[in-house]
Amino acid sequence: MEHVPPPAEELALLDRELAQLDARRAQLLTRRAWLVAALQPKAPDAPRWSTPPLGHGWAPAQSWGAVPKAAKPSAPRSAQNVLLTLGGLLLTVAAVAFTLVSWGSMGIGGRAAVLALVTVAALAAPALLLRRKLAATAEALAALALVLTLLDAYAIHAVATPDADGLTFTAIASAVLAALWAAYGLSLDKLHLPLPAAVFFVQWPLLLGAWAAGAPALVVGWALLATAVVDGAIALWGKGLGVRVTAGIGLVVMGSAALLTGLGESLTADSPLGAVLPGLLLLTAAVAALAGAWRAPSGYAQLGGAVAGLAAVAAVGGVLRAAVPGAWHVPVYLLCGLALLSVVRARLPRTAGRGVLLASGAVVAGALVWALPGVAAVLLGPVQLVAEVWAGAPDGFRGALGEAMAWSELAAAPLVLAVVAGGLGAAYHRWPTLVRLAAPLAAPGVKARDAAGAGALALGWGAVLLAAATLGVPYPVAVALETVLVAGLLAVAVLGAGGREAGAGAADAAAAGGGATGAAGSGSGGAVGGSEPYAGTAGAGAGPGVGAGGAAGRGGPSAVAVTALVLAVGGAVSLGLLSLAAEAATYAVLGALTVLFAGAALRTRPVVEQAVLAVAAVVWGTALTGCVAGSLGLAPHEAAPLLLVVPALTVLLGARLRNHPVALPVELAGGLGALVAIGLAAPRAPFLALVLALCGVLAAGAAVRPERRPVAGYLAAVLFVTATWVRLAASEVSAPEAYTLPVTVPALVIGALRRRKDPEASSWTAYGPGLGATLLPSLAVAWGDPDWPRPLLLGVAALVITLLGAKYRLQAPLLLGGAVLALVTLHELAPYVVQVAGALPRWLPPALAGLLLLAVGATYEQRLRDARKLKDMLGRMR
């Protein structure tokens, strides 16, 4: 038995345990207080906290000893700053009010004495306050002194030199204030405001002086550039974060203004000689930016290199631009931008060199933005031919594209695309050499090589198309040219996909070659750069690049092959639209496209590319069939059955391909053609019934295959039933039961035999088609029947079917019969419901609806359980 102490003994035991817990709690609280005090911020000269002495640890029976008291925290600095700011503002307002309002009541001597005395006192006070370590108060008075010096300048101009030019006086005053505050800030280096204020005043003397002198825009640009150079020097070597930030903002503003001024003057120059001086300004800005980038941190150095490159392009390109016609201005700038690529051979810091390369890329991107709208016009221009199909071949390629584009202004656009495409193609084919040259500045990978190849292909294709448009070639030549381009792109796509498959076998050899190249390059890499600014060697870039290139054959899809496939599909769509101008051209083009895409699908191996090509071939074949119907003069509804030829071929092709992954996309593409045929036949019910029946035959043919049967079988049944209903509606049959009951009875007998042979078969498979064949058409007719016999008979039949489904636990009879019975009942009661609703007060239906919602909400959980039970019960039915 378990011993239970007497109550007095148990009470003493509990008291001892509670005392121990209190002692332990006191120890933990003492330790917590010590930790909080140790974490409090302290003055620099305060003694550092040390760990408690031995014997004052975590032992339960030991105490921590005396805990040093934390110093009482001083008032928050935020409150101090608010007070100082308010005081400074009040003094500033008083000074401004005195200068503007009370100034006229004093003589010149009094005015000068008061302002001088107050200004000197405001300038001298911070020095005394800093000695007493009152830095915040000193900053507030320094701000007041700054405002007072501005008021002094205003007072001097208003009294001593009232006739002086305002801009000139402001420029001189800015220079004086800049010197004053620079000296003041250097003498009191603990103040944060004077030196940034001096930097602010530095921004204005040269600009305002040039403006006051009525100098031309170019001289103003030089003034802005000189100010920006000073700002850059201060930003690099200035003392304090505030000084550097202020100088950096001034550098951005003044430098941007100088560059825009030089660019504007260069673009408006009428002759190369007139563009020389703006170019000199831009070149000077480029040299200054590059010099700053040489010494700036990495991020700013890259920005400085980009600015230097863009300024150099604007300078040189501006001179050359003035010597060529207007249509050739962009190619001039493009060539200057490409010349920046020579920076890979210059001994520039890595980040600055990258900035120059970014500038070159920006110039190339700008040139492409100017040229690519022409390519878009060539591709999208033939859309207008859809409105006038086979209206006759136009006079030339431009006639088919429309005259909305100013083709004469795009005469140089093909050259721009060709130059960029040539550069990217050269980089793609000589990638190891490019990697070795670019190693001091960058280390491009295999993805960059793939992107270069894809870009070269796309831009070269666009260049050919745009050249044909700008030259105005004849219409047959344009059609033939685009057909050849599509064929070439398909060849590239097929060969690229084949190369990707073959690349897996040669990947190891290519990787070994890449490693050897990298090893050979490592020796020269050491000679290229040994210091930190020139980080990266040629060997480090070349070896991995080539090796990875070999391994790329083993990886994802080739960017060149994918680009070629996309361009081929897009070009084929544009070509198909272009061929709509003439009937012969349409047949020739659509036939050629069908053969080309089908042949490419047969030759390629990757599944995705093969599926895309096969689907495109089906689409072109469908379009060709529609053209045949148009040539025969058939109306749209009459042409619908003819369009089912291609879907029938896709069903046969799917049966031939069996389980090939391309079979399903091909059959789905044929299904889209069947949908088009149904849409064309929709206005005429007899043709619609015929097309639906033919589609049902095709679906039934596909359902012969086991892998298509679960979907195609139901689809065939739906199409046949729908075709029957449409045919009956077109024949204005008022008693559909005469046609549906002969189908329903055998279907139900076959379903019963199926259930007897296979008790696990679903009731939807056995009885669903038979019941739906009669119930649904009868329901559709009953809803428009004003008499009572049909709704009564249909309701009785639905009730019997529902009861049989409930008795034998069959889903299909239960749900179909119940749904039909409910709809028939609703149809019969609808007039009375409307009559009763019209007699009720307007407020009663909303009130009843609200009560219903409240009831449902109150019993929501119960209703949810009932719904789950109903779901489980239906799920157990067959």
Side-chain angles (χ1 to χ4, degrees):
M1 295 179 63
E2 184 177 357
H3 172 69
V4 178
E9 184 179 351
E10 184 178 2
L11 179 60
L13 180 62
L14 292 178
D15 289 338
R16 286 196 299 271
E17 290 180 356
L18 289 174
Q20 292 177 359
L21 289 176
D22 290 338
R24 179 59 175 164
R25 174 179 172 82
Q27 293 172 2
L28 294 177
L29 289 175
T30 303
R31 177 61 177 173
R32 181 183 181 278
W34 186 91
L35 293 174
V36 170
L39 294 176
Q40 288 291 336
K42 304 169 185 63
D45 54 349
R48 297 179 58 87
W49 289 101
S50 60
T51 57
L54 295 176
H56 295 78
W58 289 94
Q62 295 177 346
S63 62
W64 291 105
V67 179
K69 294 182 179 180
K72 186 177 181 180
S74 59
R77 294 185 61 87
S78 58
Q80 180 186 14
N81 292 335
V82 169
L83 294 175
L84 292 174
T85 302
L86 289 176
L89 286 176
L90 290 175
L91 290 175
T92 302
V93 171
V96 172
F98 170 76
T99 303
L100 297 179
V101 179
S102 301
W103 187 256
S105 62
M106 300 179 63
I108 295 178
R111 302 170 188 173
V114 170
L115 271 181
L117 179 62
V118 174
T119 304
V120 170
L123 290 172
L128 299 176
L129 293 172
L130 288 175
R131 292 178 183 177
R132 297 179 178 273
K133 297 182 180 181
L134 299 175
T137 308
E139 289 287 353
L141 288 179
L144 174 62
L146 176 62
V147 177
L148 287 175
T149 53
L150 293 175
L151 294 176
D152 288 337
Y154 166 75
I156 292 172
H157 176 63
V159 176
T161 58
D163 298 331
D165 180 62
L167 289 176
T168 304
F169 182 84
T170 305
I172 297 173
S174 298
V176 173
L177 290 174
L180 172 64
W181 282 99
Y184 187 73
L186 293 175
S187 61
L188 299 177
D189 55 354
K190 293 184 178 180
L191 292 178
H192 299 89
L193 180 63
L195 290 179
V199 174
F200 173 77
F201 288 126
V202 165
Q203 311 302 314
W204 309 109
L206 294 178
L207 175 61
L208 296 179
W211 194 0
L218 201 57
V219 176
V220 175
W222 281 104
L224 291 169
L225 179 59
T227 306
V229 171
V230 174
D231 289 331
I234 296 174
L236 287 176
W237 296 295
K239 181 181 179 182
L241 180 61
V243 173
R244 292 194 297 270
V245 170
T246 306
I249 295 174
L251 172 62
V252 172
V253 174
M254 296 298 178
S256 300
L259 291 174
L260 291 176
T261 302
L263 180 61
E265 292 295 314
S266 177
L267 292 176
T268 56
D270 296 332
S271 63
L273 187 61
V276 170
L277 292 179
L280 183 60
L281 172 63
L282 293 171
L283 279 179
T284 306
V287 172
L290 194 59
W294 203 287
R295 297 170 178 82
S298 59
Y300 299 103
Q302 188 165 338
L303 178 60
V307 171
L310 293 174
V313 170
V316 179
V319 176
L320 299 178
R321 177 204 63 85
V324 297
W328 297 90
H329 289 173
V330 174
V332 166
Y333 285 105
L334 174 63
L335 295 178
C336 295
L338 293 176
L340 291 178
L341 296 176
S342 60
V343 73
V344 297
R345 294 185 175 274
R347 293 181 60 83
L348 287 178
R350 187 180 184 91
T351 51
R354 285 181 177 177
V356 177
L357 292 180
L358 287 177
S360 176
V363 173
V364 173
L368 292 180
V369 169
W370 172 78
L372 288 178
V375 180
V378 174
L379 293 176
L380 301 178
V383 174
Q384 64 177 347
L385 298 176
V386 176
E388 298 179 358
V389 178
W390 295 348
D395 297 334
F397 193 16
R398 292 185 185 178
L401 302 177
E403 299 297 336
M405 290 292 294
W407 298 106
S408 59
E409 298 179 2
L410 295 175
L415 178 61
V416 170
L417 297 176
V419 168
V420 179
L424 293 177
Y428 179 77
H429 289 290
R430 299 185 61 84
W431 190 252
T433 304
L434 176 64
V435 171
R436 186 170 61 254
L437 291 175
L441 300 180
V446 180
K447 291 183 178 180
R449 180 178 186 269
D450 292 340
L457 180 64
L459 295 177
W461 171 71
V464 175
L465 288 179
L466 192 53
T470 54
L471 293 176
V473 298
Y475 175 76
V477 175
V479 173
L481 177 63
E482 290 204 30
T483 306
V484 172
L485 287 177
V486 171
L489 291 171
L490 289 176
V492 173
V494 172
L495 294 177
R500 186 184 75 192
E501 296 291 330
D508 296 333
T517 306
S522 62
S524 60
V528 172
S531 60
E532 186 176 354
Y534 306 97
T537 61
V546 179
R554 186 185 288 123
S558 168
V560 177
V562 172
T563 303
L565 179 60
V566 173
L567 295 178
V569 173
V573 173
S574 178
L575 175 59
L577 294 174
L578 182 65
S579 67
L580 296 179
E583 184 176 2
T586 302
Y587 279 107
V589 167
L590 293 181
L593 291 178
T594 304
V595 173
L596 287 173
F597 277 87
L602 293 176
R603 293 297 301 273
T604 192
R605 290 294 176 266
V607 175
V608 175
E609 288 86 340
Q610 192 176 29
V612 171
L613 293 169
V615 168
V618 172
V619 171
W620 304 132
T622 304
L624 185 61
T625 306
C627 292
V628 172
S631 297
L632 296 177
L634 300 178
H637 62 276
E638 296 173 340
L642 185 60
L643 290 180
L644 296 178
V645 173
V646 174
L649 294 177
T650 59
V651 171
L652 297 176
L653 183 59
R656 177 64 181 268
L657 294 175
R658 291 287 178 178
N659 294 323
H660 196 281
V662 180
L664 180 59
V666 169
E667 293 179 78
L668 291 178
L672 291 178
L675 288 178
V676 174
I678 293 173
L680 293 176
R684 297 293 182 92
F687 280 92
L688 178 59
L690 174 62
V691 171
L692 289 172
L694 293 176
C695 291
V697 172
L698 296 179
V704 174
R705 298 158 53 196
E707 66 274 10
R708 299 286 183 263
R709 189 170 301 154
V711 176
Y714 288 107
L715 180 61
V718 171
L719 289 172
F720 282 132
V721 173
T722 306
T724 303
W725 294 347
V726 173
R727 180 68 261 183
L728 294 177
S731 302
E732 298 181 355
V733 173
S734 58
E737 294 81 4
Y739 299 90
T740 58
L741 284 176
V743 177
T744 295
V745 174
L748 293 178
V749 172
I750 295 174
L753 295 176
R754 169 73 183 276
R755 288 274 300 171
R756 180 177 297 180
K757 183 178 179 181
D758 182 13
E760 298 298 325
S762 173
S763 61
W764 290 100
T765 304
Y767 305 118
L771 293 175
T774 295
L775 290 178
L776 298 180
S778 298
L779 178 64
V781 176
W783 268 72
D785 192 350
D787 298 328
W788 59 271
R790 176 179 279 107
L792 177 61
L793 294 175
L794 181 60
V796 171
L799 177 61
V800 172
I801 292 172
T802 304
L803 295 176
L804 290 175
K807 179 180 180 181
Y808 294 101
R809 304 180 64 82
L810 298 175
Q811 272 190 13
L814 177 63
L815 295 181
L816 281 176
V820 172
L821 179 61
L823 291 175
V824 170
T825 304
L826 177 63
H827 174 266
E828 294 302 312
L829 295 178
Y832 303 102
V833 172
V834 171
Q835 183 178 0
V836 171
L840 292 176
R842 295 293 181 90
W843 56 268
L844 188 58
L848 294 176
L851 291 175
L852 177 62
L853 291 176
L854 289 176
V856 172
T859 59
Y860 174 77
E861 296 294 337
Q862 182 62 37
R863 302 288 80 76
L864 190 60
R865 287 192 292 269
D866 294 343
R868 288 172 180 169
K869 291 180 181 178
L870 179 60
K871 177 184 176 182
D872 295 338
M873 181 187 69
L874 291 176
R876 289 191 295 269
M877 292 183 177
R878 300 303 302 170

